[in-house]
């Protein structure tokens, strides 16, 4: 719930700088804040979750290794550690669905952009598809830092190709 209010401009100063409002009108607007919050039912892989209504959500602007590929299981485990059993705020961009009819979204938990966090940890690569490029600059910065620090897929001797390529 969000409280919205109005008050009159006639304020009465009291002692010690305290101001008393002569009138205030507050109302509760249902749904406004909760509309974009969803409980995570399960983590499918490193960059896809399912919310309680059965909708599959693909994180916008990133890509993680698939299950069975190098770092695929690690990507899923990190995603689980971030979102499993929690409520995520989903933010849409211009295109709402991918070619598999999954919802495309930026996922937030406690002010943290999950998509970006996966890139920061070296679990995901920046993979943007215009027009959904809202946070691309943040992602690129995070990826440069992960590479410089040799985190996750950017580490030395990662899998057999030693390049950290996400398949």
């Amino acid at each position: 719930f969000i409280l919205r209010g109005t008050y009159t401009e006639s304020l009465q100063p009291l002692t010690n700088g305290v101001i008393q409002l002569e009138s205030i009108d507050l109302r509760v607007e249902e749904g406004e804040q909760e509309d974009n919050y969803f409980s995570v039912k399960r983590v499918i892989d490193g960059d896809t979750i399912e919310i309680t209504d059965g909708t599959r959500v693909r994180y916008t602007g990133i890509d993680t290794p698939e299950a069975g590929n190098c770092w695929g299981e690690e990507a899923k485990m990190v995603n689980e550690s971030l979102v499993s059993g929690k409520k995520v705020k989903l933010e849409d961009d211009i295109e709402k669905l991918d070619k598999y009819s999954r919802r495309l979204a930026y996922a937030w938990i406690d002010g943290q952009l999950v998509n970006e966090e996966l890139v920061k940890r070296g679990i995901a690569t920046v993979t943007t598809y215009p027009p959904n490029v809202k946070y691309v600059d943040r992602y690129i910065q995070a990826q440069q830092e992960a590479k410089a620090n040799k985190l996750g897929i950017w580490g030395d001797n990662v899998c057999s190709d030693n390049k950290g390529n996400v398949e």
Side-chain angles (χ1 to χ4, degrees), residues 27-61:
R27 65 188 183 282
V28 174
E29 296 180 7
E30 289 187 51
E32 186 170 310
Q33 184 178 5
E34 292 295 319
D35 278 351
N36 296 323
Y37 286 83
F38 301 90
S39 294
V40 175
K41 180 177 177 180
R42 71 182 177 111
V43 172
I44 295 170
D45 60 22
D47 53 30
T48 308
I49 59 173
E50 184 178 342
I51 55 179
T52 51
D53 70 0
T55 301
R56 287 190 178 203
V57 179
R58 173 71 161 73
Y59 298 152
T60 304

Side-chain angles (χ1 to χ4, degrees), residues 2-28:
I2 290 183
L3 293 176
R4 299 251 188 235
T6 57
Y7 59 89
T8 63
E9 292 296 322
S10 57
L11 304 176
Q12 302 299 319
L14 299 177
T15 59
N16 299 327
V18 175
I19 296 174
Q20 178 181 359
L21 299 174
E22 285 188 0
S23 69
I24 188 164
D25 172 30
L26 291 176
R27 65 188 183 282
V28 174

